Amino acid sequence: VGLKTMELVSIDEERTKCCALSYNEKYLITGYAYGYIIMWKISNQAKYRFFRKHNSAVTVVLSTRDDKIVISGSSLGIIKVWDVELGTCLSTLLGHNGKINSMAITVNGHRLVTGSSDKRARIWCLRTFQGLLAFQAHAGEILGVSISGNGHKLASTGTESVVHIWDLAQRTREETLSDFKEVVKKVVLSEDGTTLYLATAKPRIIIRSLPKKSERIINVEIPFVTFELCCGTKDLVMGTAHGAVRILRNFQEEDPTRIKETIAHIHGDSEVTFARTLNNSQQIISCNDEGRISISLNYNPLLLIRHVRGRRVVNELRYSLFREVIKY
């Protein structure tokens, strides 16, 4: 099967530090070590907006669902809010004393939650650009935060293998999950706040109902560097340390025989730091630790060679690589 890709290439001194895909999958936002942010238009692989700049490396980026605002966090704990249409900084949010490790936003775009290496999670209002709440319950740095779509619940995870669930309406801690034997690297709350998705260092994916009623564990054979949940398409996308993108389809199915795995070898032997499916799972977008962003042009899971490994169906993608290099 031929997988054609197109690459957006950074020079080595300006490697990509973080990536995020817009909600409508029209744009890719990338943050760089020299403090600037680029918004790419995926349809023509062209630079759409250029935001300048932080005084340190950009560590996290995201956008609101209407793509009118881009938000970036830096290694110095500074958060900037950008106007996409004008390309200017609307506000600088100060309050963290350490690197911003994670950010999440509510569906309406009114609330922002940030997690930092200073052990704090903060809630911000994006209409007034003021801090609303600050939580400090982790003994170590916060690795991941997630907020429910309605803004009622917040989940945070840290280096001490503990996950906290917060009730934002009551401004209290609702639940503490401490029954993990390994570090929980990432946490994702469903939009209604009833399901928690956890990625651990073991590696495995834990799907837990809230309040705790049931739990399901998906063991992952190959360790992953990063993972993204695409709940709309029911894809779990993982990037590995050896250039591969692994996709678990129908990962929410309780029947393990319905979970299908795809392996796409895109980045040689380099570490994949970001990977997502888009266009209804017909394309893969990924980035490696050398700053190369690859967008597949003709990925189709229906054309994959099928293998049977145990009880699970495994799809392995093999391709000849075609690249068009775009420089900015």
Side-chain angles (χ1 to χ4, degrees), residues 6 8 20-22 25-28 40-46 278 283 285 295 297:
M6 185 168 289
L8 311 169
L21 191 65
S22 67
E25 299 183 350
K26 290 183 178 180
Y27 304 101
L28 178 73
W40 304 88
K41 196 168 186 178
I42 293 177
S43 60
N44 58 3
Q45 291 81 42
L278 54 128
Q283 293 178 300
I285 185 166
I295 305 172
L297 301 181

Side-chain angles (χ1 to χ4, degrees), residues 44-61:
N44 58 3
Q45 291 81 42
K47 183 175 71 175
Y48 179 69
R49 288 289 184 270
F50 184 92
F51 306 102
R52 184 190 299 268
K53 80 172 184 167
H54 285 271
N55 292 325
S56 61
V58 178
T59 54
V60 190
V61 290

Side-chain angles (χ1 to χ4, degrees), residues 234-275:
K234 299 182 180 180
D235 289 345
L236 174 62
V237 187
M238 296 167 284
T240 72
H242 304 292
V245 175
R246 307 179 70 226
I247 304 168
L248 292 181
R249 304 192 180 282
N250 303 319
F251 73 94
Q252 295 171 322
E253 292 282 351
E254 294 186 5
D255 182 359
T257 62
R258 295 180 60 86
I259 300 176
K260 298 182 179 181
E261 181 181 21
T262 298
I263 303 176
H265 299 276
I266 295 177
H267 290 284
D269 293 326
S270 60
E271 183 177 291
V272 179
T273 57
F274 173 82

Side-chain angles (χ1 to χ4, degrees), residues 170-240:
Q170 301 297 325
R171 301 191 176 192
T172 58
R173 184 167 47 189
E174 181 178 281
E175 189 177 359
T176 296
L177 309 177
S178 57
D179 54 336
F180 305 105
K181 296 180 180 179
E182 64 274 6
V183 173
V184 178
K185 299 168 65 175
K186 188 168 183 176
V187 57
V188 177
L189 265 175
S190 61
E191 288 199 354
D192 60 5
T194 62
T195 306
L196 191 64
Y197 302 91
L198 307 166
T200 72
K202 193 170 182 176
R204 57 180 182 161
I205 306 299
I206 301 173
I207 304 174
R208 181 174 291 188
S209 298
L210 295 175
K212 187 178 179 181
K213 296 178 181 178
S214 62
E215 180 180 282
R216 190 159 59 88
I217 297 175
I218 302 174
N219 291 308
V220 182
E221 297 174 0
I222 303 175
F224 51 82
V225 176
T226 181
F227 97 106
E228 297 288 337
L229 290 174
C230 310
C231 295
T233 56
K234 299 182 180 180
D235 289 345
L236 174 62
V237 187
M238 296 167 284
T240 72

